[in-house]
């Protein structure tokens, strides 16, 4: 096996033979020109930046697949997934940043893709940029929002996604709890599963597994990409020239890409990733300031936390790792924090004093903020001053966040309030004693909530 692997590396690594293996792949790529007539673009940084766009594409799915994987309805001609992928200059790290498809965005002036009419700059949800102006407007919009220069554009639809996963022999996913979504048909019991292309599509599309909606779905997409990297680097795909060509031809044969991305770049990418392990990849989502920001004529959008987002994209431009260095065991201080599902920094909390105890609201706010929660720092007086048991009022869509808060406030009452929105309301009662320190499953995610691939793939 060592000899075979060694020979495979020699074959794939040697220029002439490697190019011969990859010959002809370019012919199947549908070309787009996402950079046409673009001006005033951001300055190029270090490393290579890809804009990876997942489109609906259900018009290419067979009737049988539509029924099996719950892909009914008309195609929306919009982006279902938008990710910014950065390959470091030293080829030792891949950083993946998910951009919520409902992000509040402002598209620059452009010509409508369908009607041909000129449009002035105006606000939209990020996924609508594709519908109005295709890849070109999508790239322009993302570059304006991030100030990161895009080097390559890759567009994958449902069909190419499923075919690529199947060509790799499936991808292994681990779940700590049951995952069911009646909208996509996803039905996974706790444990380890090897997903086929169709099952993988259900996994990355599901938005109704829990109350986290699209933000939870982005986390599952990141976990899936980490598992995909593990499969490619550990399953022999990159070490086997024949297998590498099979997977590459499947992917490139059903994607849309910019004119400068083809077999040469795919071969270089494969060579660069030969020494990758799951820990070589890191994943983050754009910091969110308001997950339900209303915009007239558009509806509820996801508003970024602009200062934090600017720092995140600056790190990308400077080719710096997003994940902080992990301290040794000796660096840990203070009481042990209880692991929770949602990082406290992602949970917005408004505190109210439901008692006649002076200053209780301020003490609760400060204690929650000290353990990492994003409190308003403006505690208010509750409608009732006779609350005995602390209440956590939350929107059912953010039930995971509420459970995290209840872990920090043991003995409190959970109260679902439909339509309340993202902010969790804590009404401090006379029973309040202290806030229990909590942390996300990985305590070293840093200010951007970054996870590395080795933290989210199946062990062993």
């Amino acid at each position: 096996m060592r000899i075979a692997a060694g020979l495979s590396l020699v074959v794939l690594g040697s220029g002439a033979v490697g190019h011969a293996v990859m010959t002809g792949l370019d012919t199947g790529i549908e070309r787009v020109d996402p950079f046409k007539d673009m001006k005033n673009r951001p300055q190029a940084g270090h490393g290579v930046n890809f804009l990876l766009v997942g489109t609906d594409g259900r018009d290419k799915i067979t009737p049988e697949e539509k029924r099996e994987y719950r892909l009914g309805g008309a195609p929306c001609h919009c982006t279902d997934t938008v990710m910014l992928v950065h390959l470091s200059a030293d080829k030792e790290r891949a950083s993946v940043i998910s951009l919520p498809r409902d992000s509040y965005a402002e598209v620059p002036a452009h010509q409508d893709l369908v009607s041909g009419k000129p449009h002035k700059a105006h606000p939209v949800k990020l996924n609508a940029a594709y519908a109005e102006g295709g890849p070109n407007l999508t790239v322009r919009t993302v570059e304006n929002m991030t100030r990161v220069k895009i080097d390559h554009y890759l567009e994958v639809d449902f069909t190419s996604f499923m075919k690529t996963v199947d060509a790799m022999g499936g991808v292994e996913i681990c779940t700590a709890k049951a995952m069911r979504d009646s909208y996509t048909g996803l039905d996974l019991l706790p444990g380890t599963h090897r997903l086929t292309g169709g099952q993988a599509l259900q996994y990355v599309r599901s938005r109704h597994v829990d109350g986290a909606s699209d933000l939870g779905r982005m986390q599952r997409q990141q976990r899936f990409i980490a598992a995909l990297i593990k499969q490619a680097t550990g399953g022999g795909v990159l070490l086997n020239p024949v297998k590498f060509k099979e997977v590459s031809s499947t992917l490139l044969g059903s994607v849309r890409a910019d004119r400068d991305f083809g077999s040469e770049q795919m071969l270089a990418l494969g060579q660069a990733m030969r020494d990758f392990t799951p820990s070589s990849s890191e994943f983050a989502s754009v910091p969110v300031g308001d997950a339900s920001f209303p915009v007239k004529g558009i509806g509820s959008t996801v508003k970024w936390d602009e200062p934090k987002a600017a720092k995140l994209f600056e790190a990308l431009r400077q080719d710096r790792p997003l994940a902080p260095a992990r301290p040794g065991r000796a660096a840990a201080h203070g009481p042990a924090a209880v692991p929770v599902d949602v990082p406290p920094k992602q949970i917005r909390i408004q505190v109210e004093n439901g008692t006649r105890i002076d200053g209780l609201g301020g003490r609760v706010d400060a204690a929650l903020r000290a353990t990492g929660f994003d409190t308003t720092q403006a505690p208010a007086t509750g409608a009732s001053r006779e609350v005995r048991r602390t209440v956590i009022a939350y929107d059912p869509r953010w039930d995971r966040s509420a459970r995290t808060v209840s872990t920090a406030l043991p003995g409190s009452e959970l109260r679902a309030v439909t339509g309340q929105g993202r902010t969790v309301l804590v009404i401090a009662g006379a029973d309040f004693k202290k806030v229990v320190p909590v942390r996300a499953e990985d305590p070293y995610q840093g200010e951007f909530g970054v996870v590395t691939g080795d933290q989210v793939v199946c062990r062993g």
Side-chain angles (χ1 to χ4, degrees), residues 158-230:
F158 289 170
T159 305
S160 55
F161 177 87
M162 291 193 295
K163 287 181 178 178
T164 301
V165 172
D166 285 335
M168 295 185 70
V171 173
E172 193 175 72
I173 289 292
C174 297
T175 63
K177 56 186 177 182
M179 288 189 174
R180 293 185 176 88
D181 187 339
S182 60
Y183 290 82
T184 64
L186 179 71
D187 189 358
L188 298 178
L189 294 173
T192 302
H193 309 269
R194 181 163 290 275
L195 305 185
T196 63
Q199 292 170 326
L201 183 62
Q202 291 175 314
Y203 180 82
V204 300
R205 287 186 62 236
S206 290
R207 304 177 70 194
H208 304 277
V209 172
D210 49 41
S213 189
D214 202 45
L215 299 180
R217 186 180 71 153
M218 289 193 306
Q219 292 176 340
R220 283 186 288 280
Q221 290 172 348
Q222 293 171 351
R223 287 174 180 267
F224 184 82
I225 291 178
L228 203 65
I229 291 173
K230 181 181 180 182

Side-chain angles (χ1 to χ4, degrees), residues 62-83:
T62 67
E64 293 77 15
E65 289 172 327
K66 282 186 177 181
R67 284 194 298 272
E68 184 174 0
Y69 303 119
R70 314 283 176 90
L71 294 168
C76 69
H77 192 66
C78 58
T79 53
D80 204 49
T81 300
V82 183
M83 290 181 173

Side-chain angles (χ1 to χ4, degrees), residues 3 37-38 56 86 88 100 124 131 140 158 188 232 239 261 328 335 337 416 460:
I3 294 173
D37 300 328
M38 286 184 63
D56 190 304
H86 174 79
S88 63
V124 296
R140 290 176 65 194
F158 289 170
L188 298 178
L239 298 179
F261 188 84

Side-chain angles (χ1 to χ4, degrees), residues 322-337:
L322 305 180
R326 291 172 174 271
R329 291 174 182 257
H333 297 288

Side-chain angles (χ1 to χ4, degrees), residues 13-28:
S14 61
V17 179
H19 289 291
V21 168
M22 301 295 286
T23 297
L25 292 187
D26 288 356
T27 56

Side-chain angles (χ1 to χ4, degrees), residues 345-385:
K345 67 174 69 65
Q346 295 180 12
I347 302 174
R348 184 71 166 171
I349 294 179
Q350 170 65 54
V351 175
E352 288 185 359
N353 185 354
T355 75
R356 300 183 185 277
I357 304 171
D358 290 341
L360 179 61
R363 293 203 303 275
V364 174
D365 184 288
L368 287 168
R369 194 165 190 84
T371 199
F373 289 100
D374 179 22
T375 67
T376 63
Q377 301 186 76
T381 300
S384 170
R385 306 300 298 276

